[in-house]
Amino acid sequence: MRFFYSLIFYLALPLVLLRLLWRAIKAPAYAKRWQERFALFPKPDDGRPLICLHSVSVGETIAASPLIKRLLQDYPEHQLMVTTTTPTGSALLQERFGDQVLHVYLPYDLPDAMARFLGKLNPEILLIMETELWPNLLAACQQRGIPSLLLNGRLSERSARGYQRVSALSQPMFAALDGVYAQTSADQERFIASGAKAEHCEVSGNIKFDLQLSEELRAQAAVLRKQWQGGSEELGDVEGAEKRFIIAAASTHPGEDEIILQAFQQLLAKKPNARLLLVPRHPERFKDVARLIEASNLSMQRRSESRSLKALAEDCQVILGDTMGEMLCFFGAVDAAFIGGSLVDRGGHNMIEAAAWGLPIVTGKSCFNFAEANALLQNAGALRQVSNANELAAHWLELISNPEVARSMSDSALSVAEGNRGALDKMMMGIAAHLNKR
């Protein structure tokens, strides 16, 4: 079956390249370093053994950051190669770790490209974040005796059903994994049902709970909060001014921004001192979302243009988060969070970062990508789900009007975030065990 998969991939390659060019129209970085997508890059000549970690894009790179720090700390005698598939993931990785790690794009899952990739790197181990599994990559690792571990693994019911439809291809792929560290017992069961070996699967928890907020980050967030609240680090708070209640709408998708802006307009009619931080998931949408804000007759300030300002403009109602890699800091500067990808059928995004800051959280109904974290936060009273603009506006109004409700949700969120750490240590033990076998 893998032969036919590879044949179809080769035949579809012109369409794949056209799609790459199409994406480059809105995000020019996709047109750069395209050779790496065929494993055409210089061979690392450091001479040290190499660990390879694949983190896909921004979300996985953020989640993998504590792991990357531990790998650099625990294995200084190794090189660390981190691969992504998106330019935004690459940019965030280089911003956070610079030349401490090597980086290339993961090649397309073609037999010859993967053979070149592994031949040049010859990694001692391949680590994969979440569910970015490719049949030819894992088969090539198995043939070369390179152990492959899936870390922070998640497999929704929807994805599991999709794999079952191509089980002749997917079952050998899952069976090739030497270790699966699943977020939940339900994920573990679905991995085993999909073909992973039961003796290779264990529940580690979600590494995203192992997020640590550094003192430097807390200080940056505190400065930003003062600026957005109407004061500045130098000027202090504006005397006698009512505190602004700032809401972050994070990682939004097409179809959600309109709902969020409608809800915010309803809120402004009753609470004119509210402010909205709107952060689209993908940078190529920044201009489109800016036009939506302007069409809603809301005054806007772009984060990219206001970094040097001492304070948010008095008449600014919406801050457009049109920068990359600042979301974690943003959460420390606001009063509540909406997590996107949930009012449309995208499965939601990471709400754990907001919980780590102790924020009251609201999402839409589509949260299958973070089902366990969603359930933990919802059961603790830290998170609420809404279906439309009216419900979203009503929830925000309650948070502003009833500080006790906001404080209770905040305390619960922080309790959940702090009580579910430990996944990183389990994963590091598994990595060490496989490296010691080499």
Side-chain angles (χ1 to χ4, degrees):
M1 187 66 181
R2 191 163 55 83
F3 170 81
F4 291 106
Y5 159 80
S6 300
L7 179 61
I8 292 169
F9 207 142
Y10 278 119
L11 292 174
L13 201 53
L15 296 177
V16 173
L17 293 174
L18 282 174
R19 181 175 180 271
L20 189 67
L21 289 173
W22 178 81
R23 297 192 75 174
I25 293 173
K26 287 192 173 182
Y30 275 99
K32 299 176 181 177
R33 297 165 53 199
W34 60 269
Q35 299 95 330
E36 293 177 12
R37 300 184 187 274
F38 295 91
L40 300 173
F41 57 84
K43 179 179 179 180
D45 57 1
D46 187 290
R48 290 179 294 164
L50 186 141
I51 295 171
C52 185
L53 168 66
H54 181 49
S55 66
V56 194
S57 191
V58 170
E60 293 81 5
T61 302
I62 291 171
S65 291
L67 172 64
I68 294 171
K69 290 177 182 176
R70 280 288 297 274
L71 289 170
L72 290 170
Q73 172 187 310
D74 292 1
Y75 297 98
E77 73 282 4
H78 284 68
Q79 297 180 92
L80 179 57
M81 169 70 79
V82 183
T83 62
T84 66
T85 59
T86 68
T88 51
S90 172
L92 181 63
L93 177 72
Q94 293 175 4
E95 178 185 321
R96 290 197 171 188
F97 296 99
D99 59 4
Q100 294 182 83
V101 303
L102 304 174
H103 173 267
V104 295
Y105 290 125
L106 185 74
Y108 293 131
D109 194 39
L110 301 166
D112 63 315
M114 287 306 177
R116 280 194 299 274
F117 177 72
L118 294 177
K120 288 181 178 181
L121 299 184
N122 190 27
E124 289 206 341
I125 193 168
L126 172 67
L127 310 174
I128 303 171
M129 289 297 294
E130 300 199 354
T131 326
E132 183 74 2
L133 302 175
W134 295 99
N136 283 321
L137 172 60
L138 290 175
C141 284
Q142 190 175 44
Q143 290 164 5
R144 292 169 178 261
I146 299 169
S148 57
L149 305 186
L150 183 66
L151 307 180
N152 214 45
R154 60 180 173 88
L155 190 61
S156 68
E157 290 183 13
R158 175 187 290 185
S159 296
R161 288 194 298 270
Y163 282 122
Q164 287 168 7
R165 286 193 285 270
V166 289
S167 59
L169 176 66
S170 63
Q171 284 194 353
M173 177 184 72
F174 282 107
L177 288 165
D178 295 281
V180 175
Y181 293 84
Q183 293 183 18
T184 69
S185 56
D187 291 313
Q188 179 191 38
E189 291 170 5
R190 285 191 282 267
F191 278 118
I192 293 171
S194 297
K197 296 175 182 177
E199 63 271 23
H200 292 171
C201 295
E202 65 177 275
V203 178
S204 63
N206 193 333
I207 196 175
K208 293 178 180 178
F209 281 114
D210 286 276
L211 172 71
Q212 297 290 335
L213 304 176
S214 68
E215 290 304 315
E216 180 184 5
L217 180 65
R218 290 182 185 275
Q220 292 171 353
V223 171
L224 186 59
R225 181 171 178 81
K226 276 193 172 184
Q227 293 172 348
W228 286 354
Q229 285 288 354
S232 71
E233 187 179 34
E234 293 85 357
L235 300 177
D237 296 333
V238 177
E239 187 176 351
E242 181 184 355
K243 288 293 184 183
R244 296 165 176 164
F245 191 93
I246 304 175
I247 300 159
S251 299
T252 62
H253 286 257
E256 284 186 312
D257 304 286
E258 296 88 343
I259 298 171
I260 291 164
L261 290 170
Q262 183 184 345
F264 183 63
Q265 286 174 315
Q266 293 180 34
L267 178 65
L268 280 177
K270 297 181 179 179
K271 296 291 182 180
N273 214 43
R275 297 293 182 269
L276 176 67
L277 167 67
L278 184 54
V279 187
R281 176 70 174 177
H282 299 111
E284 56 264 33
R285 296 189 58 243
F286 290 161
K287 291 181 180 178
D288 293 338
V289 175
R291 284 191 286 266
L292 281 176
I293 297 169
E294 291 168 351
S296 299
N297 294 317
L298 293 166
S299 58
M300 176 185 68
Q301 204 165 298
R302 294 174 181 267
R303 168 61 176 163
S304 61
E305 297 173 352
S306 62
R307 280 175 162 168
S308 61
L309 298 179
K310 299 262 193 304
L312 189 68
E314 184 64 31
D315 63 347
C316 174
Q317 296 167 312
V318 181
I319 308 161
L320 176 61
D322 61 344
T323 56
M324 294 300 299
E326 289 196 290
M327 196 66 246
L328 189 57
C329 183
F330 289 164
F331 280 138
V334 302
D335 299 287
F338 167 84
I339 308 300
S342 59
L343 283 172
V344 292
D345 192 21
R346 297 301 297 266
H349 291 295
N350 181 13
M351 64 276 293
I352 297 171
E353 292 178 349
W357 281 104
L359 293 178
I361 302 167
V362 61
T363 71
K365 300 287 188 180
S366 178
C367 292
F368 55 80
N369 287 333
F370 288 85
E372 181 71 11
N374 182 281
L376 287 169
L377 290 164
Q378 200 167 0
N379 291 339
L383 179 149
R384 295 185 186 174
Q385 290 186 315
V386 298
S387 300
N388 52 52
N390 293 338
E391 292 179 5
L392 184 56
H395 170 72
W396 285 342
L397 180 61
E398 181 185 20
L399 290 178
I400 297 176
S401 304
N402 194 334
E404 287 300 318
V405 171
R407 189 174 301 113
S408 176
M409 292 184 69
S410 172
D411 292 343
S412 297
L414 197 57
S415 178
V416 170
E418 292 178 347
N420 285 275
R421 292 178 178 151
L424 178 58
D425 288 337
K426 293 180 182 178
M427 293 176 195
M428 290 301 297
M429 289 176 62
I431 292 168
H434 282 86
L435 284 175
N436 289 336
K437 292 179 183 177
R438 297 284 290 175

